[in-house]
């Protein structure tokens, strides 16, 4: 039992799970789930109680029972006590102060990352201001590699997302070429297919592989179909670089996606056996998003932000090349407006980086949310200041297959220019060698005689 008084009102919280939920900044998903604080006073009382909770308590009191949930078992069984030792004596409030101090350097944050559980990260985020989330995340440095190096200091990568509502290969190829000419695609060239037909998927893999090979691009490709399809396509010798899967923070939610930890391990092993990486072997790509466990009725009474951070424990176990939160994609039932989307994006990025993940963000919203592109401009600028690993690059910011609003090729250029950031070094050198960008990061004029346009990919000829 936790309790705290504000004025004449005494607030009581029966469990750590309830305390975490009531301390969470307001969001529509928690209200829908019936776990949110009923007033600002109750929320503040919960935060005051939460600040006094020792970090060790999260090891002794799982929010979802060990026996009932394989994600909980993963968190508990893989906890690194040695990495935890430097912060083991702290409360949640002390942990916040420590994170904001100069003692918590980039090297120190890397050292303790495996000792931090998702619940610890979620708890401390709940008592932090937006600027706190930005400051600490900016100190976290997570570097991964496959055909280029992602996450280096001073860099911001982008996923080139050339989706098409009918998986038309010419339409996809044209979008890929468009993105490359704008300097996008160093994180991954990744298609969300409209179809799960294996023959169609295999064609898309070959399309991306042919483009990468023809132009000798130091990047990787991905087709974002279900992991079981990807395993089958690897068995058919499809040119697969990265394994993709959406993941969640509870066993039950992952089951609703048709996955479990054993299946992800099988896919990882299969992808690694292909040996397609050149500068590294991080082969997994995961997407997450607040509200997925609630939408599957699989949250076990845990608030949606903590469920989200538990998904990062799943991702961390597989040492991914890329992880991104699709922050506003599920809709206003979970994140109602621009303010909630902005806060959720900063929380997700902070918690992911704190746990040692190469976290990016699909800075996006659905058309029925109380948000607009100005909100997305604000969020992506804040995230870039916080050291975001990558964002999405989509023609015109409007995904014509998934029907939502996100970020464009131009947005990546804007962030790199304003923040003084660059693409992954191998990709940056390729852009310069292809005369698409100069040494100062400025795009160069391209006409019909440019090498990339004179020798188009075969799918555009």
């Amino acid at each position: 039992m936790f309790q705290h008084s504000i004025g004449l009102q005494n607030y009581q919280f029966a469990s750590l799970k309830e305390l975490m939920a009531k301390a969470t900044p307001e969001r529509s998903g928690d209200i829908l789930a019936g776990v949110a604080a009923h007033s600002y006073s109750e929320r503040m009382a919960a935060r005051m109680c939460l600040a006094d909770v020792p970090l060790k308590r999260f090891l002794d009191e799982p929010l979802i029972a060990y026996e009932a949930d394989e994600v909980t078992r993963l968190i508990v069984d893989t906890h690194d006590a040695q990495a935890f030792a430097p912060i083991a004596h702290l409360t949640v409030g002390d942990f916040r102060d420590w994170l904001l101090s100069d003692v918590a350097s980039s090297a120190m944050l890397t050292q303790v990352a495996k000792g931090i559980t998702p619940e610890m990260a979620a708890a401390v985020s709940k008592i932090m201001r937006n600027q706190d989330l930005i400051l600490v995340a900016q100190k976290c440095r997570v570097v991964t590699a496959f055909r280029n190096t992602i996450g280096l200091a001073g860099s911001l990568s982008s996923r080139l997302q050339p989706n098409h509502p009918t998986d038309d290969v010419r339409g996809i190829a044209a979008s890929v070429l468009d993105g490359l000419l704008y300097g996008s695609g160093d994180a991954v060239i990744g298609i969300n297919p409209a179809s799960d037909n294996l023959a169609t998927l295999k064609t898309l893999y070959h399309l991306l592989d042919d483009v990468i090979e023809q132009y000798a691009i130091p990047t990787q490709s991905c087709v974002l179909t279900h992991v079981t399809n990807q395993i089958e396509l690897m068995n058919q010798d499809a040119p697969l670089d990265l394994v993709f899967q959406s993941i969640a923070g509870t066993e039950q939610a992952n089951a609703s996606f048709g996955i479990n930890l054993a299946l992800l391990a099988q896919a990882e092993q299969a992808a690694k056996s292909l040996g397609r990486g050149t500068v590294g072997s991080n082969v997994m790509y995961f997407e997450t998003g607040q509200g997925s466990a609630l939408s599957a009725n699989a949250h076990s009474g845990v608030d949606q932000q903590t469920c989200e951070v538990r998904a990062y424990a799943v991702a961390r176990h597989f040492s991914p090349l890329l992880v991104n939160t699709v922050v506003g994609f599920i809709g206003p039932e979970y994140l109602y407006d621009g303010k909630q989307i902005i806060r959720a994006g900063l929380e997700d990025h902070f918690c992911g980086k704190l746990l040692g993940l190469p976290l990016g963000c699909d800075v996006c919203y659905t058309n029925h949310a109380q948000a607009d592109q100005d909100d997305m401009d604000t969020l992506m600028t804040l995230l870039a200041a916080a050291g975001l690993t990558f964002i999405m690059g989509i023609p015109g910011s409007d995904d014509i297959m998934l029907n939502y609003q996100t970020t464009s090729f131009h947005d990546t250029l804007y962030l790199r220019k304003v923040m003084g950031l660059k693409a992954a070094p191998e990709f940056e050198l390729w852009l310069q060698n292809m005369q698409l960008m100069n040494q100062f990061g400025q795009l160069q004029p391209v006409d019909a005689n440019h090498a990339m346009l004179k020798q188009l990919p075969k799918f555009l000829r």
Side-chain angles (χ1 to χ4, degrees):
M1 175 72 71
F2 304 86
Q3 59 182 350
H4 186 82
S5 295
I6 294 181
L8 299 177
Q9 179 69 50
N10 184 52
Y11 295 96
Q12 296 183 342
F13 310 97
S15 66
L16 189 56
K17 180 191 297 187
E18 181 185 355
L19 182 66
M20 290 277 281
K22 294 291 179 68
T24 305
E26 183 179 51
R27 62 206 54 193
S28 51
D30 289 336
I31 295 171
L32 182 66
V35 302
H38 298 295
S39 67
Y40 287 105
S41 294
E42 185 182 26
R43 184 172 297 112
M44 185 54 66
R47 290 176 179 173
M48 296 296 288
C49 287
L50 185 58
D52 289 334
V53 173
L55 293 181
K56 288 181 179 178
R57 182 156 183 172
F58 293 98
L59 301 175
D60 301 327
E61 190 177 331
L63 303 190
I64 302 176
Y66 181 92
E67 298 77 16
D69 186 272
E70 72 169 356
V71 177
T72 297
R73 293 194 289 276
L74 176 69
I75 292 167
V76 173
D77 294 346
T78 61
H79 182 251
D80 189 329
Q82 184 175 353
F84 182 55
I87 57 174
H89 61 290
L90 300 177
T91 65
V92 173
D94 294 333
F95 188 34
R96 172 190 176 274
D97 293 342
W98 182 84
L99 288 169
L100 293 170
S101 74
D102 292 334
V103 174
S105 63
S106 294
M108 178 59 76
L109 289 170
T110 299
Q111 179 183 325
V112 303
K114 291 186 177 180
I116 302 170
T117 69
E119 291 81 0
M120 295 174 193
V124 75
S125 74
K126 295 175 192 299
I127 64 169
M128 297 176 82
R129 296 170 59 183
N130 286 0
Q131 66 172 250
D132 298 340
L133 300 174
I134 293 168
L135 175 62
V136 177
Q138 197 275 335
K139 296 193 287 185
C140 297
R141 186 57 52 200
V142 183
V143 178
T144 58
F146 188 76
R147 288 203 190 97
N148 58 30
T149 310
I150 306 293
L152 292 169
S155 68
L156 173 69
S157 295
S158 65
R159 169 187 159 191
L160 202 172
Q161 187 171 314
N163 297 344
H164 193 280
T166 64
D167 292 333
D168 180 80
V169 292
R170 287 176 60 82
I172 290 171
S175 290
V176 171
L177 188 60
D178 187 27
L180 292 171
L181 294 175
Y182 279 106
S184 185
D186 54 329
V188 62
I189 305 176
I191 303 169
N192 294 92
S195 169
D196 279 333
N197 177 274
L198 290 180
T200 299
L201 296 173
K202 196 169 186 178
T203 297
L204 297 181
Y205 277 111
H206 281 288
L207 161 64
L208 295 182
D209 190 58
D210 287 350
V211 171
I212 289 172
E213 187 171 301
Q214 175 175 328
Y215 296 129
I217 310 170
T219 192
Q220 38 282 328
S221 68
C222 188
V223 178
L224 283 69
T225 186
H226 194 268
V227 66
T228 52
N229 290 333
Q230 293 167 83
I231 291 172
E232 176 57 31
L233 287 162
M234 282 188 275
N235 291 335
Q236 296 182 19
D237 297 322
L240 183 148
D241 292 338
L242 304 183
V243 171
F244 165 82
Q245 183 56 49
S246 294
I247 57 173
T250 71
E251 179 179 348
Q252 188 181 354
N254 282 325
S256 76
F257 291 158
I259 63 167
N260 55 36
L261 298 178
L263 183 61
L264 295 177
Q266 178 187 349
E268 179 192 32
Q269 190 60 40
K272 283 190 172 182
S273 71
L274 301 179
R276 292 174 60 83
T278 55
V279 297
S281 59
N282 299 110
V283 297
M284 304 299 280
Y285 172 24
F286 296 116
E287 282 190 346
T288 68
Q290 287 192 31
S292 59
L294 175 57
S295 68
N297 195 26
H299 59 99
S300 297
V302 176
D303 67 89
Q304 69 179 38
Q305 189 244 345
T306 302
C307 282
E308 166 73 3
V309 187
R310 283 170 55 91
Y312 301 159
V314 176
R316 180 167 65 176
H317 187 61
F318 296 100
S319 301
L321 179 76
L322 305 166
V323 181
N324 71 266
T325 169
V326 192
V327 70
F329 182 72
I330 304 182
E333 300 85 357
Y334 306 95
L335 296 169
Y336 179 72
D337 57 15
K339 181 176 182 178
Q340 291 188 12
I341 292 171
I342 289 168
R343 174 69 191 192
L346 293 176
E347 289 170 348
D348 293 351
H349 180 253
F350 162 83
C351 290
K353 285 291 183 65
L354 197 60
L355 292 175
L357 287 177
L359 211 84
C361 185
D362 191 342
V363 179
C364 63
Y365 66 102
T366 56
N367 286 314
H368 61 309
Q370 298 299 307
D372 59 26
Q373 206 63 47
D374 285 340
D375 294 316
M376 301 306 106
D377 285 353
T378 298
L379 177 54
M380 68 175 158
T381 304
L382 294 174
L383 285 170
L388 185 70
T389 302
F390 69 106
I391 65 168
M392 306 300 121
I394 290 151
S397 304
D398 187 357
D399 193 305
I400 59 173
M401 196 283 282
L402 293 174
N403 292 313
Y404 76 116
Q405 309 303 312
T406 181
T407 47
S408 71
F409 306 139
H410 300 81
D411 292 326
T412 303
L413 295 173
Y414 148 72
L415 291 174
R416 287 174 179 166
K417 189 168 187 176
V418 169
M419 300 291 182
L421 302 170
K422 295 186 175 183
E426 301 88 347
F427 191 82
E428 183 95 2
L429 181 60
W430 176 81
L431 291 171
Q432 293 173 9
N433 290 339
M434 293 296 291
Q435 298 183 331
L436 296 174
M437 185 175 287
N438 65 22
Q439 61 181 321
F440 304 108
Q442 299 166 331
L443 286 181
Q444 298 302 286
V446 172
D447 58 26
N449 292 317
H450 190 278
M452 289 187 70
L453 299 182
K454 289 180 69 174
Q455 186 62 36
L456 292 171
K458 70 178 183 181
F459 290 95
L460 279 176
R461 293 173 204 161

